[in-house]
Amino acid sequence: FRVVLNGIDPAWISRADPAAAASLRASLLGGGRRLVGGVFRLADEKQPLMWLEVARRTVTACPGTVFFHAGDGALADDFARAGDDLVRAGSLRILGRREDVPALLSASDALLHAARHEGTPNVLLEAAHLGCPVVATPAGGSPDAVEEGVTGFLRDPSDADGLCASLVELLQDEARRAQAAAAGPRLVSRRFSLDGMVRETLACYPFLGIAPSARA
């Protein structure tokens, strides 16, 4: 079988106005120095409690880091209870459902995604396009959306230490973070363009024994 990657139109992912992104960043950071996002549904397969554990370890290893989570789901109450210590310490903002995800990602230094099962997470593509480096797990199509060591890092879903170490490396190495941020848009353009999706789809027709239409 052949895999055809999704094609996305970058125009759908609006870059935040720099001034607006800076204002949003300041409001989330408070007195912190680095901002890490999490944008996912609060469901078991997304491992929200693992995400919190990695956040907790990262705050210890890299003081001044502030995390936020945007999203809702069946585990919202459990998530809030488990993250209460981080909220009280000023290290976690629980935002609920948001409509300004591109602005949140534009304001962030990195994105943490700790899912156990996935399709191809749109948020990883959005983060890459917006220049937000990613630390994620190789669940589902995530390896297609993250170029290991280039646009971010992939670590096992059960490896809290590895996820934390990779995130701390990004947060503490400004040059590495800048390189990853610059590589993200190129990855999305190369692997997930609309033209590429159309070409790969049409290439499947001879493989299936069906000639593509002259109008295709």
Side-chain angles (χ1 to χ4, degrees):
F1 61 89
R2 300 177 65 161
V3 175
V4 178
L5 297 178
N6 294 343
I8 65 170
D9 184 349
W12 298 344
I13 309 170
S14 301
R15 295 180 183 275
D17 173 77
S23 176
L24 179 59
R25 177 184 174 86
S27 71
L28 292 170
L29 271 177
R33 297 196 304 270
R34 296 295 178 205
L35 185 64
V36 179
V39 181
F40 55 90
R41 184 166 42 86
L42 291 169
D44 181 67
E45 67 272 16
K46 304 294 186 179
Q47 297 203 121
L49 300 188
M50 169 65 86
W51 187 91
L52 283 174
E53 180 57 26
V54 175
R56 192 171 286 111
R57 296 184 189 194
T58 301
V59 169
T60 299
C62 192
T65 302
V66 176
F67 286 76
F68 71 80
H69 173 266
D72 201 356
L75 298 181
D77 290 342
D78 293 340
F79 184 79
R81 281 193 295 270
D84 182 62
D85 61 319
L86 290 169
V87 173
R88 286 187 285 106
S91 300
L92 173 64
R93 321 290 188 210
I94 299 178
L95 307 180
R97 185 182 295 274
R98 298 284 290 228
E99 301 296 330
D100 60 344
V101 169
L104 289 168
L105 294 175
S106 297
S108 301
D109 294 298
L111 177 78
L112 173 64
H113 195 73
R116 183 173 58 249
H117 298 297
E118 273 295 353
T120 297
N122 285 333
V123 70
L124 300 188
L125 301 180
E126 293 171 5
H129 174 66
L130 294 169
C132 179
V134 169
V135 175
T137 60
S142 296
D144 294 318
V146 179
E147 190 169 357
E148 170 65 26
V150 179
T151 65
F153 298 101
L154 295 169
R155 298 295 178 261
D156 189 86
S158 63
D159 186 6
D161 285 339
L163 288 163
C164 174
S166 294
L167 187 53
V168 169
E169 180 179 343
L170 273 176
L171 296 177
Q172 293 183 338
D173 189 337
E174 187 171 349
R176 184 71 176 270
R177 198 168 62 253
Q179 290 169 357
R186 296 195 295 267
L187 172 71
V188 173
S189 176
R190 185 174 74 250
R191 289 187 182 173
F192 295 93
S193 71
L194 290 175
D195 287 345
M197 180 183 70
V198 171
R199 284 196 306 273
E200 291 295 320
T201 300
L202 291 177
C204 290
Y205 283 92
F207 179 78
L208 296 173
I210 303 172
S213 165
R215 290 187 174 184

